[in-house]
């Protein structure tokens, strides 16, 4: 039985971070959250979870948090995630995702933290030549977002080689859905996730859904992605933490996806099924840098971590996202 020490979750007031807080607590891990609330929400953190409002590069605040709470592991979500914005404002992404991660990592080493889990991304692969994509395939990011995350992976690898700390870097594919119990969900205004956008359209918050590209070499011409339920992803972080504790001399980089893809039209068909209505679809040209298909080979995470996806049904992912969208409407 693993002794459960306190875990610091950075960005724990955001979309994926708030789900990870719930998953860790549900598994019996004491949790502390640090978040600067630039994109996160204070209400997304449970009242009984210690909360520090600070940036992860506030060295004094982070050091005090690690010391005062006896933190044994960091699960790092804080950062910027909008790919088009990373192209127009690359320095923001290299600051938020790379420079500030470096500060956090130094604080972890100085504070004697033994374990680190990093939210990386499938954007590190760029436009892969082979699908499904494996972790040993080339990492050639095509935007600053992917590069900023890949640079942090490199820092983690080098730091773990020089200091007594091990890590798991999870390369997320397309994260979607919301907590099935309705405790948290994707709440950020202007979010760019397809299922979030479709849920907003289905609940009357936007008039239509734009589809970028109809001439990809896919079954219906629209882009294909691997959609993973956010709660499954959060539980993968718990499994990663338990693996790190059990294997203190090892580290891991692994894809976090289901190993199967759906096209944009197939996702919107699922929204139509769940809502029994027809979304207004507007077809537009491709966006620069969008790969035709991005699907995980998830063999490594399934064979290494004690983790089995429980929520891979697309209609279920959509239903949870819609339930949360309706709840957000009630909060407004």
């Amino acid at each position: 039985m693993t002794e459960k020490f306190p875990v610091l979750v950075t960005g724990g007031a955001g979309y994926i971070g708030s789900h990870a807080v719930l998953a860790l607590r549900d598994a019996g891990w004491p949790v502390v959250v640090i978040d600067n609330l630039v994109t996160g929400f204070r209400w997304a953190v449970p009242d009984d979870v210690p909360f520090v409002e600070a940036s992860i590069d506030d060295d004094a605040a982070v050091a005090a948090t690690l010391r005062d709470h006896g933190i044994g592991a960091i699960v790092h979500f804080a950062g910027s995630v909008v790919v088009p914005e990373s192209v127009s404002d690359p320095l923001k992404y290299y600051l938020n995702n790379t420079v500030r991660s470096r500060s956090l990592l130094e604080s972890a080493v100085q504070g004697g933290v033994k374990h680190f889990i990093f939210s990386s991304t499938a954007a590190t692969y760029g436009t892969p030549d082979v699908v499904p994509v494996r972790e040993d395939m080339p990492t050639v990011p095509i935007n600053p977002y992917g590069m900023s995350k890949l640079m942090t992976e490199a820092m983690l690898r080098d730091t773990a080689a020089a200091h007594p700390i091990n890590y798991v870097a999870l390369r997320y594919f397309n994260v979607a859905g919301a907590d099935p119990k309705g405790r948290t969900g994707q709440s950020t205004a202007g979010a760019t996730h397809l299922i979030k956008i479709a849920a907003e359209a289905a609940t009357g918050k936007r008039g239509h859904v734009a589809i970028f590209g109809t001439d990809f070499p896919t079954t219906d011409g629209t882009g294909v992605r691997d959609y993973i339920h956010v709660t499954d992803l959060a539980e993968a972080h718990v499994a990663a933490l338990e693996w790190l504790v059990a294997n203190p001399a090892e580290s891991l980089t692994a894809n976090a996806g289901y190993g199967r893809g759906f096209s944009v039209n197939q996702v919107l068909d699922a929204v139509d099924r769940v809502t029994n209505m027809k979304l207004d679809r507007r077809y537009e040209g491709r966006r620069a840098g969008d790969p035709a298909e991005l699907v995980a080979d998830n063999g490594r995470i399934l064979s290494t971590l004690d983790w089995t996806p429980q929520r891979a049904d697309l209609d279920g992912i959509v239903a949870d996202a819609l339930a949360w969208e309706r709840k957000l409407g009630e909060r407004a």
Side-chain angles (χ1 to χ4, degrees):
M1 185 72 177
T2 302
E3 180 184 353
K4 292 184 167 62
F5 45 75
V7 177
L8 177 64
V9 178
T10 74
Y15 174 39
I16 305 174
S18 64
H19 287 84
V21 169
L22 295 175
L24 287 161
R25 292 178 80 224
D26 289 348
W29 291 90
V31 179
V32 179
V33 167
I34 187 168
D35 197 301
N36 61 11
L37 298 181
V38 170
T39 57
F41 300 90
R42 180 64 184 88
W43 54 257
V45 181
D47 292 338
D48 59 348
V49 170
F51 178 79
V52 179
E53 184 176 347
S55 175
I56 58 170
D57 62 348
D58 183 337
D59 296 341
V62 173
T65 302
L66 299 179
R67 180 185 64 247
D68 294 348
H69 294 278
I71 299 297
I74 295 174
V75 187
H76 177 33
F77 297 97
S80 300
V81 299
V82 181
V83 170
E85 183 189 43
S86 80
V87 176
S88 62
D89 192 0
L91 293 178
K92 172 182 177 180
Y93 278 67
Y94 290 121
L95 174 60
N96 279 351
N97 294 354
T98 311
V99 176
R100 288 183 172 142
S101 292
R102 182 221 166 271
S103 295
L104 177 67
L105 196 50
E106 183 170 38
S107 295
V109 170
Q110 293 178 346
V113 175
K114 301 297 185 189
H115 314 293
F116 198 102
I117 300 171
F118 175 54
S119 63
S120 192
T121 171
T124 56
Y125 296 114
T127 304
D129 294 329
V130 178
V131 177
V133 61
R134 295 191 316 274
E135 295 87 352
D136 59 356
M137 289 179 177
T139 45
V140 191
I142 56 174
N143 52 61
Y145 169 64
M147 182 59 78
S148 71
K149 292 284 193 173
L150 186 62
M151 291 167 74
T152 301
E153 285 190 18
M155 284 193 294
L156 277 169
R157 184 176 61 248
D158 295 341
T159 302
H163 299 282
I165 188 170
N166 66 341
Y167 70 91
V168 170
L170 293 177
R171 291 176 177 164
Y172 306 165
F173 282 68
N174 284 51
V175 188
D179 175 52
K181 297 179 181 178
R183 295 172 292 178
T184 189
Q186 170 60 284
S187 308
T188 309
T192 57
H193 302 69
L194 174 62
I195 290 178
K196 169 70 170 177
I197 289 169
E200 290 178 345
T203 53
K205 297 177 184 178
R206 60 172 75 212
H208 70 277
V209 178
I211 298 174
F212 298 100
T214 59
D215 58 348
F216 289 108
T218 59
T219 53
D220 61 20
T222 63
V224 170
R225 298 293 182 270
D226 188 333
Y227 295 89
I228 179 171
H229 195 295
V230 64
T231 298
D232 273 345
L233 179 61
E235 290 173 354
H237 289 74
V238 178
L241 176 58
E242 292 169 349
W243 182 86
L244 285 171
V245 174
N247 300 275
E250 297 182 57
S251 293
L252 174 71
T253 299
N255 291 333
Y258 289 151
R260 55 99 178 95
F262 292 101
S263 72
V264 174
N265 275 327
Q266 286 173 327
V267 170
L268 299 181
D269 289 346
V271 179
D272 289 350
R273 283 194 302 273
V274 172
T275 60
N276 198 29
M277 58 185 282
K278 295 288 280 186
L279 292 174
D280 181 7
R281 308 181 192 192
R282 305 279 179 89
Y283 295 93
E284 302 184 19
R286 293 190 196 185
R287 293 177 298 196
D290 271 355
E293 188 173 2
L294 196 56
V295 176
D297 180 320
N298 63 358
R300 179 179 291 181
I301 191 171
L302 293 177
S303 64
T304 307
L305 303 185
D306 183 15
W307 177 75
T308 304
Q310 302 296 317
R311 302 165 187 86
D313 175 65
L314 180 61
D315 287 20
I317 294 173
V318 166
D320 286 342
L322 282 163
W324 178 253
E325 204 60 47
R326 295 187 182 105
K327 189 168 184 175
L328 273 182
E330 295 166 5
R331 295 180 67 97

